[in-house]
Amino acid sequence: MRAGMVTVSWGIEGVLIVLLALAVKERSFRLTGLGILLLCVAKVMALDVWGLQARDRYITMIIVGAALVFVSFLYTRYRDAIRQFL
């Protein structure tokens, strides 16, 4: 299995854990899912991106950066609702 596929599987697993945690209203599962997603982003930025060609590296950095800005925007907009879940 390629290294990039491991990262994708971590991302999918993290999202599924967060969704499961929201369904059963379990705080520890939500934090675990968010931790896995954080590890996934860190792995992409630290390891996976450097094995790509220059063009693909730039596209990956732009997409990850845009996703982080979007999540930050959503967090600031819905801060009170998110704190209720976390």
Side-chain angles (χ1 to χ4, degrees):
M1 183 185 298
R2 294 183 323 171
M5 294 307 293
V6 171
T7 308
V8 169
S9 65
W10 283 4
I12 292 171
E13 182 180 6
V15 168
L16 290 176
I17 290 173
V18 169
L19 292 176
L20 173 71
L22 290 175
V24 297
K25 297 180 177 151
E26 182 63 38
R27 182 177 189 262
S28 64
F29 289 169
R30 283 192 297 265
L31 295 177
T32 301
L34 290 174
I36 290 173
L37 288 173
L38 179 65
L39 284 174
C40 180
V41 170
K43 185 176 182 294
V44 165
M45 298 305 285
L47 299 173
D48 294 343
V49 78
W50 303 114
L52 299 173
Q53 295 178 359
R55 181 188 60 129
D56 296 336
R57 185 179 315 143
Y58 299 142
I59 291 171
T60 301
M61 293 277 203
I62 289 169
I63 290 172
V64 170
L68 291 174
V69 167
F70 180 68
V71 168
S72 174
F73 170 74
L74 288 178
Y75 179 76
T76 57
R77 183 173 176 120
Y78 300 108
R79 181 178 308 156
D80 296 328
I82 291 172
R83 284 189 182 168
Q84 181 182 4
F85 284 115
L86 296 178

